[in-house]
Amino acid sequence: ESRMKRKLFFVLMALLSAAALSQAEVAVVSEDGATRTVRHVLGETRVPTNPQRIVSLSFRDTDHLLALGVTPAASEGYGDDFAYLEPFMDGVQLIGYGDAGYNLEAVLAAQPDLIVIRAYNGELFGADYEQLSRIAPTVVLSSDDNSYDDRFGILDLGVVLGMEDEAQARLERADAAISAAAERIKNAIGNEKVALVNVRARELRIYGGEGYGWVLYQHGLD
């Protein structure tokens, strides 16, 4: 019985440690000039201080990287929702995603010195952390279910890349631009109801209080 209690105790402690790690804030644990050790969702990773070839296995982080003036060597492929990135993607290799997950051969061929990927509820999809880490230092960032809050991901990348000030300034500029747009709309239509509509060649998309619509609604539009 005592042996069983000890076993259950260690299992419980392991689960608690895993839960705490999955909620860990992205932070720099140590630096030695050439590298920085970054704490992230799945552990700690030593990354180069100034990575030159970043592979982003999250198109949201590709967006964030470009916003920081950093062009990744390769990126997860993106659909119509992120087609606005295309003008900024010259020379960026796109990593395909199939039934077996991400194309690891394409990741390896990109010769990364840093890989960035997102976890959803602490879980990776389409990739294995250990496999990616054998290719290059890999940092796993947490994704929020609320896409409005996902914009804070740029701050996590700022920590990883040593660009905290740039990330904060970029986020503040974006929020200011959104607030200004919301104010112009309210000045034009008063208290009328607003619908955010995405017009495409073969369909119309109307956004509610989540996703892209959440951005404007959080800045004062109903």
Side-chain angles (χ1 to χ4, degrees):
E1 183 179 356
S2 61
R3 182 181 300 176
M4 178 62 69
K5 287 182 178 179
R6 286 198 301 271
K7 184 176 181 180
L8 289 174
F9 172 78
F10 286 121
V11 170
L12 177 60
M13 292 302 295
L15 290 173
L16 290 174
S17 298
L21 187 59
S22 69
Q23 298 170 4
E25 180 182 1
V26 176
V28 175
V29 176
S30 64
E31 295 186 77
D32 62 12
T35 64
R36 61 171 58 88
T37 300
V38 177
R39 184 179 67 225
H40 55 87
V41 172
L42 293 185
E44 295 182 358
T45 299
R46 181 180 292 179
V47 305
T49 299
N50 185 26
Q52 299 298 304
R53 297 188 60 81
I54 301 174
V55 167
S56 169
L57 294 181
S58 160
F59 41 72
R60 294 189 188 280
D61 286 316
T62 299
D63 188 328
H64 296 325
L65 286 168
L66 293 170
L68 290 172
V70 178
T71 302
S75 167
E76 175 188 27
Y78 50 88
D80 291 343
D81 286 344
F82 285 81
Y84 63 86
L85 295 177
E86 189 170 345
F88 309 100
M89 298 290 285
D90 286 346
V92 178
Q93 176 187 345
L94 297 183
I95 303 295
Y97 186 95
D99 293 339
Y102 290 105
N103 184 340
L104 294 183
E105 290 184 359
V107 174
L108 181 62
Q111 299 180 316
D113 53 8
L114 174 63
I115 298 171
V116 178
I117 189 170
R118 288 265 155 185
Y120 295 84
N121 297 319
E123 184 178 354
L124 291 182
F125 294 96
D128 179 86
Y129 176 65
E130 296 299 330
Q131 286 183 323
L132 292 176
S133 297
R134 285 195 287 269
I135 296 174
T138 299
V139 171
V140 181
L141 305 178
S142 178
S143 184
D144 196 291
D145 290 336
N146 184 332
S147 61
Y148 180 72
D149 289 337
D150 256 347
R151 79 197 203 286
F152 292 118
I154 195 172
L155 301 180
D156 290 338
L157 272 178
V159 172
V160 175
L161 300 178
M163 301 178 68
E164 294 95 329
D165 292 342
E166 294 90 333
Q168 183 64 46
R170 186 65 183 84
L171 182 61
E172 290 174 358
R173 290 200 303 272
D175 279 351
I178 295 169
S179 294
E183 188 64 26
R184 287 197 298 271
I185 293 172
K186 291 194 75 170
N187 289 339
I189 66 173
N191 293 322
E192 296 294 327
K193 295 293 183 181
V194 175
L196 181 60
V197 181
N198 187 341
V199 181
R200 303 191 177 200
R202 297 184 179 181
E203 64 181 1
L204 295 177
R205 292 189 180 184
I206 300 178
Y207 296 98
E210 298 180 355
Y212 296 113
W214 192 255
V215 175
L216 285 177
Y217 300 142
Q218 284 294 303
H219 284 263
L221 291 178
D222 298 323

